[in-house]
Amino acid sequence: GDSVTQMEGPVTLSEEAFLTINCTYTATGYPSLFWYVQYPGEGLQLLLKATKADDKGSNKGFEATYRKETTSFHLEKGSVQVSDSAVYFCALSERGNQFYFGTGTSLTVIP
Amino acid sequence: DTAVSQTPKYLVTQMGNDKSIKCEQNLGHDTMYWYKQDSKKFLKIMFSYNNKELIINETVPNRFSPKSPDKAHLNLHINSLELGDSAVYFCASSLTSGEETQYFGPGTRLLVL
């Protein structure tokens, strides 16, 4: 069945450090891939998405590239800020099927 | 305007009580969801409705009963609350079922004493 595996947290970085959060997936077809972010005390918000292989999603300085050959959708940001502290969820969905969320990776950025 | 709203935001209640959480979306979406998020932030889908019809019903105790009076509303009723029901419950909606982006409500923090 479909599933998403993302790196365990928590992750703690200094401001302006480079961020990578790994995400790999298993799917029977050609899923769409998503990164959602949950700020403290809030619901999940879509951060970025990619709907086909080699697509790059980007938003707020974050990027992720849909890699079919490695079944990955790693999240990256070149220079994190304190305001990026949140929990990040990788997710996939195939048409007609439900969403599958990863377990979430907590990021704390310290000044 | 709030796209997906939930009430109440906080709910503290005694074991054994019955409670309801309401969800409304004003996005014109066909599909709505209920998720449970535990203390470790693990997010688990509970139910999904498409145009008022149940399409996903994960392994959830039958004390939990969703009700969709129309496609803009999906309420969650919980009978005989237990300590383990304490969690944050999120409602979400999407244009259709499947690979569409989901839009989440702010969550309802349930604490069962």
Side-chain angles (χ1 to χ4, degrees), chain B residues 38-85:
Chain B
D38 63 23
S39 57
K40 295 183 179 178
K41 302 295 186 184
F42 182 68
L43 198 64
K44 177 182 164 65
I45 191 166
M46 301 174 70
F47 301 102
S48 173
Y49 269 71
N50 188 58
N51 264 322
K52 301 194 298 174
E53 278 192 38
L54 181 66
I55 55 172
I56 294 172
N57 183 357
E58 292 298 300
T59 307
V60 175
N62 57 15
R63 298 182 293 105
F64 291 79
S65 53
K67 284 189 171 50
S68 183
D70 55 62
K71 75 173 192 178
H73 295 85
L74 181 62
N75 303 324
L76 183 65
H77 189 74
I78 316 170
N79 288 327
S80 304
L81 278 155
E82 299 177 357
L83 294 177
D85 297 332

mmCIF file of all heavy atoms in Angstrom, chain B residues 38-85:
data_model
loop_
_atom_site.group_PDB
_atom_site.id
_atom_site.type_symbol
_atom_site.label_atom_id
_atom_site.label_comp_id
_atom_site.label_asym_id
_atom_site.label_seq_id
_atom_site.Cartn_x
_atom_site.Cartn_y
_atom_site.Cartn_z
ATOM 1 N N ASP B 38 -2.136 12.918 17.859
ATOM 2 C CA ASP B 38 -1.807 12.595 19.248
ATOM 3 C C ASP B 38 -0.714 13.527 19.781
ATOM 4 O O ASP B 38 -0.258 14.425 19.087
ATOM 5 C CB ASP B 38 -1.426 11.126 19.391
ATOM 6 C CG ASP B 38 -0.171 10.765 18.615
ATOM 7 O OD1 ASP B 38 0.645 11.654 18.322
ATOM 8 O OD2 ASP B 38 -0.007 9.578 18.289
ATOM 9 N N SER B 39 -0.284 13.243 20.997
ATOM 10 C CA SER B 39 0.673 14.139 21.663
ATOM 11 C C SER B 39 2.038 14.140 20.984
ATOM 12 O O SER B 39 2.823 15.059 21.165
ATOM 13 C CB SER B 39 0.834 13.751 23.129
ATOM 14 O OG SER B 39 1.243 12.403 23.223
ATOM 15 N N LYS B 40 2.310 13.100 20.190
ATOM 16 C CA LYS B 40 3.585 13.051 19.461
ATOM 17 C C LYS B 40 3.450 13.630 18.058
ATOM 18 O O LYS B 40 4.338 13.459 17.230
ATOM 19 C CB LYS B 40 4.083 11.606 19.381
ATOM 20 C CG LYS B 40 4.429 11.025 20.735
ATOM 21 C CD LYS B 40 4.987 9.626 20.629
ATOM 22 C CE LYS B 40 5.333 9.104 22.007
ATOM 23 N NZ LYS B 40 5.839 7.723 21.957
ATOM 24 N N LYS B 41 2.347 14.286 17.796
ATOM 25 C CA LYS B 41 2.092 14.946 16.512
ATOM 26 C C LYS B 41 1.770 13.962 15.396
ATOM 27 O O LYS B 41 1.700 14.376 14.230
ATOM 28 C CB LYS B 41 3.259 15.842 16.069
ATOM 29 C CG LYS B 41 3.609 16.920 17.068
ATOM 30 C CD LYS B 41 2.484 17.915 17.213
ATOM 31 C CE LYS B 41 2.870 19.075 18.101
ATOM 32 N NZ LYS B 41 1.750 19.998 18.318
ATOM 33 N N PHE B 42 1.571 12.691 15.716
ATOM 34 C CA PHE B 42 1.215 11.732 14.678
ATOM 35 C C PHE B 42 -0.213 12.002 14.225
ATOM 36 O O PHE B 42 -1.130 12.098 15.048
ATOM 37 C CB PHE B 42 1.346 10.309 15.205
ATOM 38 C CG PHE B 42 1.047 9.265 14.188
ATOM 39 C CD1 PHE B 42 1.891 9.071 13.113
ATOM 40 C CD2 PHE B 42 -0.093 8.478 14.283
ATOM 41 C CE1 PHE B 42 1.617 8.114 12.156
ATOM 42 C CE2 PHE B 42 -0.382 7.523 13.328
ATOM 43 C CZ PHE B 42 0.474 7.334 12.262
ATOM 44 N N LEU B 43 -0.389 12.099 12.913
ATOM 45 C CA LEU B 43 -1.677 12.491 12.335
ATOM 46 C C LEU B 43 -2.327 11.254 11.715
ATOM 47 O O LEU B 43 -1.750 10.627 10.837
ATOM 48 C CB LEU B 43 -1.427 13.552 11.273
ATOM 49 C CG LEU B 43 -2.571 14.413 10.809
ATOM 50 C CD1 LEU B 43 -3.091 15.266 11.942
ATOM 51 C CD2 LEU B 43 -2.101 15.303 9.672
ATOM 52 N N LYS B 44 -3.540 10.965 12.153
ATOM 53 C CA LYS B 44 -4.212 9.756 11.670
ATOM 54 C C LYS B 44 -5.585 10.118 11.130
ATOM 55 O O LYS B 44 -6.368 10.775 11.813
ATOM 56 C CB LYS B 44 -4.340 8.779 12.833
ATOM 57 C CG LYS B 44 -5.078 7.482 12.527
ATOM 58 C CD LYS B 44 -5.176 6.642 13.791
ATOM 59 C CE LYS B 44 -6.215 5.551 13.667
ATOM 60 N NZ LYS B 44 -5.897 4.543 12.665
ATOM 61 N N ILE B 45 -5.859 9.684 9.897
ATOM 62 C CA ILE B 45 -7.175 9.961 9.346
ATOM 63 C C ILE B 45 -8.208 9.082 10.033
ATOM 64 O O ILE B 45 -7.953 7.924 10.359
ATOM 65 C CB ILE B 45 -7.222 9.774 7.818
ATOM 66 C CG1 ILE B 45 -8.535 10.335 7.261
ATOM 67 C CG2 ILE B 45 -7.018 8.308 7.438
ATOM 68 C CD1 ILE B 45 -8.562 10.522 5.781
ATOM 69 N N MET B 46 -9.383 9.667 10.270
ATOM 70 C CA MET B 46 -10.466 8.920 10.900
ATOM 71 C C MET B 46 -11.580 8.651 9.890
ATOM 72 O O MET B 46 -12.011 7.521 9.696
ATOM 73 C CB MET B 46 -11.017 9.705 12.077
ATOM 74 C CG MET B 46 -9.997 10.014 13.149
ATOM 75 S SD MET B 46 -10.663 11.096 14.421
ATOM 76 C CE MET B 46 -11.816 10.011 15.226
ATOM 77 N N PHE B 47 -12.050 9.727 9.273
ATOM 78 C CA PHE B 47 -13.181 9.615 8.342
ATOM 79 C C PHE B 47 -12.985 10.575 7.175
ATOM 80 O O PHE B 47 -12.323 11.591 7.291
ATOM 81 C CB PHE B 47 -14.505 10.014 9.029
ATOM 82 C CG PHE B 47 -14.853 9.208 10.235
ATOM 83 C CD1 PHE B 47 -14.654 9.727 11.502
ATOM 84 C CD2 PHE B 47 -15.389 7.940 10.108
ATOM 85 C CE1 PHE B 47 -14.985 8.989 12.629
ATOM 86 C CE2 PHE B 47 -15.716 7.197 11.229
ATOM 87 C CZ PHE B 47 -15.510 7.727 12.491
ATOM 88 N N SER B 48 -13.642 10.223 6.066
ATOM 89 C CA SER B 48 -13.714 11.134 4.943
ATOM 90 C C SER B 48 -15.100 11.030 4.323
ATOM 91 O O SER B 48 -15.629 9.928 4.154
ATOM 92 C CB SER B 48 -12.646 10.791 3.906
ATOM 93 O OG SER B 48 -12.823 11.565 2.749
ATOM 94 N N TYR B 49 -15.676 12.182 4.011
ATOM 95 C CA TYR B 49 -16.981 12.240 3.367
ATOM 96 C C TYR B 49 -16.843 12.966 2.043
ATOM 97 O O TYR B 49 -16.173 13.999 1.947
ATOM 98 C CB TYR B 49 -17.972 13.012 4.234
ATOM 99 C CG TYR B 49 -18.756 12.164 5.194
ATOM 100 C CD1 TYR B 49 -18.135 11.607 6.296
ATOM 101 C CD2 TYR B 49 -20.105 11.921 4.993
ATOM 102 C CE1 TYR B 49 -18.850 10.825 7.182
ATOM 103 C CE2 TYR B 49 -20.830 11.142 5.879
ATOM 104 C CZ TYR B 49 -20.201 10.597 6.969
ATOM 105 O OH TYR B 49 -20.905 9.816 7.846
ATOM 106 N N ASN B 50 -17.489 12.433 1.020
ATOM 107 C CA ASN B 50 -17.541 13.098 -0.276
ATOM 108 C C ASN B 50 -19.004 13.336 -0.620
ATOM 109 O O ASN B 50 -19.773 12.386 -0.765
ATOM 110 C CB ASN B 50 -16.863 12.244 -1.348
ATOM 111 C CG ASN B 50 -16.730 13.003 -2.652
ATOM 112 O OD1 ASN B 50 -16.128 14.063 -2.708
ATOM 113 N ND2 ASN B 50 -17.304 12.470 -3.714
ATOM 114 N N ASN B 51 -19.371 14.607 -0.729
ATOM 115 C CA ASN B 51 -20.769 14.942 -1.005
ATOM 116 C C ASN B 51 -21.732 14.232 -0.057
ATOM 117 O O ASN B 51 -22.703 13.624 -0.477
ATOM 118 C CB ASN B 51 -21.150 14.586 -2.443
ATOM 119 C CG ASN B 51 -21.036 15.764 -3.363
ATOM 120 O OD1 ASN B 51 -21.363 16.890 -2.983
ATOM 121 N ND2 ASN B 51 -20.561 15.538 -4.559
ATOM 122 N N LYS B 52 -21.444 14.327 1.189
ATOM 123 C CA LYS B 52 -22.255 13.788 2.287
ATOM 124 C C LYS B 52 -22.210 12.270 2.393
ATOM 125 O O LYS B 52 -22.909 11.692 3.208
ATOM 126 C CB LYS B 52 -23.714 14.232 2.185
ATOM 127 C CG LYS B 52 -23.929 15.728 2.204
ATOM 128 C CD LYS B 52 -25.384 16.085 2.440
ATOM 129 C CE LYS B 52 -26.284 15.565 1.361
ATOM 130 N NZ LYS B 52 -27.720 15.782 1.646
ATOM 131 N N GLU B 53 -21.402 11.614 1.568
ATOM 132 C CA GLU B 53 -21.323 10.147 1.650
ATOM 133 C C GLU B 53 -19.996 9.717 2.244
ATOM 134 O O GLU B 53 -18.935 10.217 1.849
ATOM 135 C CB GLU B 53 -21.440 9.551 0.248
ATOM 136 C CG GLU B 53 -22.869 9.430 -0.221
ATOM 137 C CD GLU B 53 -22.969 8.580 -1.475
ATOM 138 O OE1 GLU B 53 -22.246 7.579 -1.583
ATOM 139 O OE2 GLU B 53 -23.770 8.947 -2.343
ATOM 140 N N LEU B 54 -20.042 8.757 3.145
ATOM 141 C CA LEU B 54 -18.827 8.262 3.785
ATOM 142 C C LEU B 54 -17.992 7.497 2.773
ATOM 143 O O LEU B 54 -18.484 6.563 2.130
ATOM 144 C CB LEU B 54 -19.212 7.338 4.940
ATOM 145 C CG LEU B 54 -18.077 6.740 5.759
ATOM 146 C CD1 LEU B 54 -17.333 7.828 6.515
ATOM 147 C CD2 LEU B 54 -18.621 5.692 6.722
ATOM 148 N N ILE B 55 -16.714 7.894 2.607
ATOM 149 C CA ILE B 55 -15.844 7.173 1.681
ATOM 150 C C ILE B 55 -14.640 6.550 2.375
ATOM 151 O O ILE B 55 -14.047 5.621 1.858
ATOM 152 C CB ILE B 55 -15.368 8.057 0.507
ATOM 153 C CG1 ILE B 55 -14.678 9.334 0.996
ATOM 154 C CG2 ILE B 55 -16.524 8.399 -0.401
ATOM 155 C CD1 ILE B 55 -14.031 10.129 -0.132
ATOM 156 N N ILE B 56 -14.245 7.073 3.514
ATOM 157 C CA ILE B 56 -13.157 6.475 4.274
ATOM 158 C C ILE B 56 -13.617 6.348 5.711
ATOM 159 O O ILE B 56 -14.110 7.295 6.298
ATOM 160 C CB ILE B 56 -11.873 7.329 4.233
ATOM 161 C CG1 ILE B 56 -11.296 7.380 2.826
ATOM 162 C CG2 ILE B 56 -10.827 6.789 5.215
ATOM 163 C CD1 ILE B 56 -10.148 8.351 2.682
ATOM 164 N N ASN B 57 -13.449 5.163 6.249
ATOM 165 C CA ASN B 57 -13.758 4.946 7.657
ATOM 166 C C ASN B 57 -12.667 4.045 8.194
ATOM 167 O O ASN B 57 -12.731 2.832 8.051
ATOM 168 C CB ASN B 57 -15.135 4.300 7.792
ATOM 169 C CG ASN B 57 -15.538 4.120 9.254
ATOM 170 O OD1 ASN B 57 -14.763 4.420 10.164
ATOM 171 N ND2 ASN B 57 -16.733 3.644 9.479
ATOM 172 N N GLU B 58 -11.641 4.669 8.748
ATOM 173 C CA GLU B 58 -10.529 3.898 9.266
ATOM 174 C C GLU B 58 -10.943 3.179 10.544
ATOM 175 O O GLU B 58 -12.053 3.335 11.028
ATOM 176 C CB GLU B 58 -9.335 4.814 9.520
ATOM 177 C CG GLU B 58 -8.722 5.375 8.253
ATOM 178 C CD GLU B 58 -8.168 4.297 7.352
ATOM 179 O OE1 GLU B 58 -7.268 3.553 7.800
ATOM 180 O OE2 GLU B 58 -8.626 4.188 6.201
ATOM 181 N N THR B 59 -10.029 2.411 11.078
ATOM 182 C CA THR B 59 -10.336 1.635 12.276
ATOM 183 C C THR B 59 -10.478 2.587 13.455
ATOM 184 O O THR B 59 -9.502 2.973 14.077
ATOM 185 C CB THR B 59 -9.220 0.614 12.552
ATOM 186 O OG1 THR B 59 -8.997 -0.152 11.383
ATOM 187 C CG2 THR B 59 -9.611 -0.278 13.711
ATOM 188 N N VAL B 60 -11.682 2.986 13.679
ATOM 189 C CA VAL B 60 -11.992 3.935 14.737
ATOM 190 C C VAL B 60 -13.104 3.314 15.583
ATOM 191 O O VAL B 60 -14.025 2.717 15.027
ATOM 192 C CB VAL B 60 -12.474 5.276 14.119
ATOM 193 C CG1 VAL B 60 -12.925 6.243 15.189
ATOM 194 C CG2 VAL B 60 -11.382 5.893 13.262
ATOM 195 N N PRO B 61 -13.020 3.429 16.906
ATOM 196 C CA PRO B 61 -14.102 2.871 17.731
ATOM 197 C C PRO B 61 -15.458 3.402 17.298
ATOM 198 O O PRO B 61 -15.586 4.568 16.887
ATOM 199 C CB PRO B 61 -13.734 3.360 19.136
ATOM 200 C CG PRO B 61 -12.276 3.615 19.094
ATOM 201 C CD PRO B 61 -11.962 4.065 17.694
ATOM 202 N N ASN B 62 -16.473 2.576 17.399
ATOM 203 C CA ASN B 62 -17.788 3.035 16.951
ATOM 204 C C ASN B 62 -18.417 4.043 17.906
ATOM 205 O O ASN B 62 -19.551 4.475 17.700
ATOM 206 C CB ASN B 62 -18.733 1.862 16.674
ATOM 207 C CG ASN B 62 -18.913 0.973 17.875
ATOM 208 O OD1 ASN B 62 -18.566 1.357 19.004
ATOM 209 N ND2 ASN B 62 -19.433 -0.212 17.663
ATOM 210 N N ARG B 63 -17.676 4.430 18.939
ATOM 211 C CA ARG B 63 -18.115 5.556 19.776
ATOM 212 C C ARG B 63 -18.006 6.873 18.999
ATOM 213 O O ARG B 63 -18.591 7.873 19.390
ATOM 214 C CB ARG B 63 -17.244 5.659 21.036
ATOM 215 C CG ARG B 63 -17.309 4.440 21.944
ATOM 216 C CD ARG B 63 -16.455 4.634 23.185
ATOM 217 N NE ARG B 63 -15.029 4.700 22.887
ATOM 218 C CZ ARG B 63 -14.317 5.816 22.891
ATOM 219 N NH1 ARG B 63 -14.897 6.980 23.166
ATOM 220 N NH2 ARG B 63 -13.026 5.786 22.632
ATOM 221 N N PHE B 64 -17.218 6.852 17.932
ATOM 222 C CA PHE B 64 -17.053 8.036 17.093
ATOM 223 C C PHE B 64 -18.017 7.931 15.918
ATOM 224 O O PHE B 64 -17.969 6.955 15.159
ATOM 225 C CB PHE B 64 -15.627 8.128 16.555
ATOM 226 C CG PHE B 64 -14.598 8.434 17.605
ATOM 227 C CD1 PHE B 64 -14.136 7.445 18.454
ATOM 228 C CD2 PHE B 64 -14.096 9.722 17.743
ATOM 229 C CE1 PHE B 64 -13.184 7.729 19.430
ATOM 230 C CE2 PHE B 64 -13.149 10.010 18.711
ATOM 231 C CZ PHE B 64 -12.689 9.015 19.556
ATOM 232 N N SER B 65 -18.866 8.932 15.756
ATOM 233 C CA SER B 65 -19.812 8.895 14.640
ATOM 234 C C SER B 65 -19.821 10.240 13.932
ATOM 235 O O SER B 65 -20.176 11.260 14.522
ATOM 236 C CB SER B 65 -21.212 8.514 15.115
ATOM 237 O OG SER B 65 -21.617 9.347 16.174
ATOM 238 N N PRO B 66 -19.415 10.244 12.680
ATOM 239 C CA PRO B 66 -19.468 11.469 11.896
ATOM 240 C C PRO B 66 -20.870 11.681 11.336
ATOM 241 O O PRO B 66 -21.599 10.717 11.093
ATOM 242 C CB PRO B 66 -18.475 11.203 10.766
ATOM 243 C CG PRO B 66 -18.513 9.719 10.585
ATOM 244 C CD PRO B 66 -18.859 9.112 11.918
ATOM 245 N N LYS B 67 -21.202 12.960 11.146
ATOM 246 C CA LYS B 67 -22.494 13.270 10.534
ATOM 247 C C LYS B 67 -22.304 14.437 9.585
ATOM 248 O O LYS B 67 -21.723 15.454 9.950
ATOM 249 C CB LYS B 67 -23.524 13.633 11.601
ATOM 250 C CG LYS B 67 -24.058 12.425 12.366
ATOM 251 C CD LYS B 67 -25.219 12.774 13.250
ATOM 252 C CE LYS B 67 -25.880 11.536 13.833
ATOM 253 N NZ LYS B 67 -24.933 10.599 14.455
ATOM 254 N N SER B 68 -22.808 14.302 8.389
ATOM 255 C CA SER B 68 -22.670 15.351 7.377
ATOM 256 C C SER B 68 -24.051 15.782 6.916
ATOM 257 O O SER B 68 -24.622 15.185 6.000
ATOM 258 C CB SER B 68 -21.838 14.822 6.193
ATOM 259 O OG SER B 68 -21.643 15.839 5.238
ATOM 260 N N PRO B 69 -24.592 16.850 7.507
ATOM 261 C CA PRO B 69 -25.928 17.296 7.117
ATOM 262 C C PRO B 69 -25.961 17.874 5.702
ATOM 263 O O PRO B 69 -26.994 17.828 5.038
ATOM 264 C CB PRO B 69 -26.263 18.369 8.162
ATOM 265 C CG PRO B 69 -24.951 18.797 8.713
ATOM 266 C CD PRO B 69 -24.034 17.635 8.612
ATOM 267 N N ASP B 70 -24.861 18.432 5.271
ATOM 268 C CA ASP B 70 -24.710 18.920 3.903
ATOM 269 C C ASP B 70 -23.228 18.949 3.594
ATOM 270 O O ASP B 70 -22.409 18.719 4.491
ATOM 271 C CB ASP B 70 -25.344 20.309 3.716
ATOM 272 C CG ASP B 70 -24.811 21.325 4.697
ATOM 273 O OD1 ASP B 70 -23.583 21.603 4.667
ATOM 274 O OD2 ASP B 70 -25.594 21.817 5.539
ATOM 275 N N LYS B 71 -22.868 19.213 2.356
ATOM 276 C CA LYS B 71 -21.458 19.019 2.007
ATOM 277 C C LYS B 71 -20.538 20.072 2.598
ATOM 278 O O LYS B 71 -19.332 19.943 2.520
ATOM 279 C CB LYS B 71 -21.291 18.904 0.494
ATOM 280 C CG LYS B 71 -21.403 20.182 -0.278
ATOM 281 C CD LYS B 71 -21.032 19.911 -1.729
ATOM 282 C CE LYS B 71 -20.840 21.226 -2.478
ATOM 283 N NZ LYS B 71 -20.429 20.993 -3.878
ATOM 284 N N ALA B 72 -21.101 21.120 3.205
ATOM 285 C CA ALA B 72 -20.272 22.139 3.840
ATOM 286 C C ALA B 72 -20.002 21.844 5.312
ATOM 287 O O ALA B 72 -19.240 22.561 5.958
ATOM 288 C CB ALA B 72 -20.936 23.510 3.705
ATOM 289 N N HIS B 73 -20.636 20.833 5.850
ATOM 290 C CA HIS B 73 -20.512 20.536 7.274
ATOM 291 C C HIS B 73 -20.191 19.058 7.498
ATOM 292 O O HIS B 73 -20.776 18.184 6.856
ATOM 293 C CB HIS B 73 -21.823 20.862 8.012
ATOM 294 C CG HIS B 73 -22.175 22.314 8.007
ATOM 295 N ND1 HIS B 73 -22.860 22.906 6.957
ATOM 296 C CD2 HIS B 73 -21.925 23.293 8.911
ATOM 297 C CE1 HIS B 73 -23.009 24.190 7.224
ATOM 298 N NE2 HIS B 73 -22.465 24.463 8.386
ATOM 299 N N LEU B 74 -19.263 18.838 8.424
ATOM 300 C CA LEU B 74 -18.981 17.470 8.861
ATOM 301 C C LEU B 74 -18.732 17.520 10.357
ATOM 302 O O LEU B 74 -17.710 18.044 10.800
ATOM 303 C CB LEU B 74 -17.767 16.884 8.133
ATOM 304 C CG LEU B 74 -17.422 15.448 8.527
ATOM 305 C CD1 LEU B 74 -18.567 14.491 8.187
ATOM 306 C CD2 LEU B 74 -16.140 14.989 7.837
ATOM 307 N N ASN B 75 -19.673 17.011 11.117
ATOM 308 C CA ASN B 75 -19.573 17.049 12.565
ATOM 309 C C ASN B 75 -19.116 15.693 13.085
ATOM 310 O O ASN B 75 -19.316 14.659 12.442
ATOM 311 C CB ASN B 75 -20.929 17.423 13.166
ATOM 312 C CG ASN B 75 -21.429 18.765 12.632
ATOM 313 O OD1 ASN B 75 -20.634 19.674 12.403
ATOM 314 N ND2 ASN B 75 -22.730 18.878 12.413
ATOM 315 N N LEU B 76 -18.487 15.725 14.250
ATOM 316 C CA LEU B 76 -17.974 14.494 14.865
ATOM 317 C C LEU B 76 -18.577 14.362 16.250
ATOM 318 O O LEU B 76 -18.373 15.238 17.094
ATOM 319 C CB LEU B 76 -16.445 14.546 14.946
ATOM 320 C CG LEU B 76 -15.757 13.304 15.499
ATOM 321 C CD1 LEU B 76 -15.966 12.122 14.567
ATOM 322 C CD2 LEU B 76 -14.255 13.570 15.686
ATOM 323 N N HIS B 77 -19.320 13.293 16.449
ATOM 324 C CA HIS B 77 -19.910 13.038 17.756
ATOM 325 C C HIS B 77 -19.158 11.889 18.421
ATOM 326 O O HIS B 77 -18.880 10.874 17.771
ATOM 327 C CB HIS B 77 -21.395 12.683 17.619
ATOM 328 C CG HIS B 77 -22.089 12.611 18.925
ATOM 329 N ND1 HIS B 77 -22.415 13.720 19.663
ATOM 330 C CD2 HIS B 77 -22.490 11.538 19.657
ATOM 331 C CE1 HIS B 77 -23.004 13.352 20.784
ATOM 332 N NE2 HIS B 77 -23.063 12.037 20.803
ATOM 333 N N ILE B 78 -18.839 12.080 19.694
ATOM 334 C CA ILE B 78 -18.100 11.055 20.419
ATOM 335 C C ILE B 78 -18.898 10.651 21.653
ATOM 336 O O ILE B 78 -19.219 11.504 22.497
ATOM 337 C CB ILE B 78 -16.706 11.549 20.866
ATOM 338 C CG1 ILE B 78 -16.004 12.311 19.729
ATOM 339 C CG2 ILE B 78 -15.851 10.360 21.313
ATOM 340 C CD1 ILE B 78 -14.738 13.023 20.158
ATOM 341 N N ASN B 79 -19.220 9.390 21.741
ATOM 342 C CA ASN B 79 -19.947 8.870 22.907
ATOM 343 C C ASN B 79 -18.984 8.285 23.931
ATOM 344 O O ASN B 79 -17.890 7.818 23.591
ATOM 345 C CB ASN B 79 -20.906 7.741 22.472
ATOM 346 C CG ASN B 79 -22.091 8.262 21.707
ATOM 347 O OD1 ASN B 79 -22.572 9.365 21.969
ATOM 348 N ND2 ASN B 79 -22.571 7.484 20.752
ATOM 349 N N SER B 80 -19.405 8.313 25.178
ATOM 350 C CA SER B 80 -18.657 7.636 26.258
ATOM 351 C C SER B 80 -17.170 7.921 26.179
ATOM 352 O O SER B 80 -16.342 7.005 26.036
ATOM 353 C CB SER B 80 -18.900 6.119 26.187
ATOM 354 O OG SER B 80 -20.260 5.836 26.243
ATOM 355 N N LEU B 81 -16.822 9.174 26.290
ATOM 356 C CA LEU B 81 -15.431 9.587 26.135
ATOM 357 C C LEU B 81 -14.495 8.854 27.086
ATOM 358 O O LEU B 81 -14.842 8.588 28.246
ATOM 359 C CB LEU B 81 -15.320 11.101 26.336
ATOM 360 C CG LEU B 81 -15.670 11.892 25.083
ATOM 361 C CD1 LEU B 81 -16.134 13.295 25.437
ATOM 362 C CD2 LEU B 81 -14.470 11.941 24.150
ATOM 363 N N GLU B 82 -13.306 8.515 26.571
ATOM 364 C CA GLU B 82 -12.277 7.826 27.348
ATOM 365 C C GLU B 82 -11.026 8.700 27.408
ATOM 366 O O GLU B 82 -10.827 9.592 26.576
ATOM 367 C CB GLU B 82 -11.945 6.477 26.685
ATOM 368 C CG GLU B 82 -13.125 5.543 26.597
ATOM 369 C CD GLU B 82 -12.790 4.240 25.881
ATOM 370 O OE1 GLU B 82 -11.631 4.102 25.403
ATOM 371 O OE2 GLU B 82 -13.679 3.369 25.793
ATOM 372 N N LEU B 83 -10.166 8.386 28.394
ATOM 373 C CA LEU B 83 -8.932 9.166 28.560
ATOM 374 C C LEU B 83 -8.115 9.192 27.271
ATOM 375 O O LEU B 83 -7.540 10.228 26.907
ATOM 376 C CB LEU B 83 -8.089 8.580 29.687
ATOM 377 C CG LEU B 83 -8.680 8.656 31.099
ATOM 378 C CD1 LEU B 83 -7.749 7.968 32.097
ATOM 379 C CD2 LEU B 83 -8.918 10.108 31.506
ATOM 380 N N GLY B 84 -8.071 8.057 26.575
ATOM 381 C CA GLY B 84 -7.271 7.949 25.353
ATOM 382 C C GLY B 84 -7.805 8.760 24.187
ATOM 383 O O GLY B 84 -7.144 8.863 23.144
ATOM 384 N N ASP B 85 -8.977 9.339 24.349
ATOM 385 C CA ASP B 85 -9.529 10.186 23.287
ATOM 386 C C ASP B 85 -8.924 11.585 23.321
ATOM 387 O O ASP B 85 -9.121 12.369 22.385
ATOM 388 C CB ASP B 85 -11.056 10.306 23.424
ATOM 389 C CG ASP B 85 -11.754 8.966 23.264
ATOM 390 O OD1 ASP B 85 -11.198 8.084 22.554
ATOM 391 O OD2 ASP B 85 -12.834 8.793 23.855
#
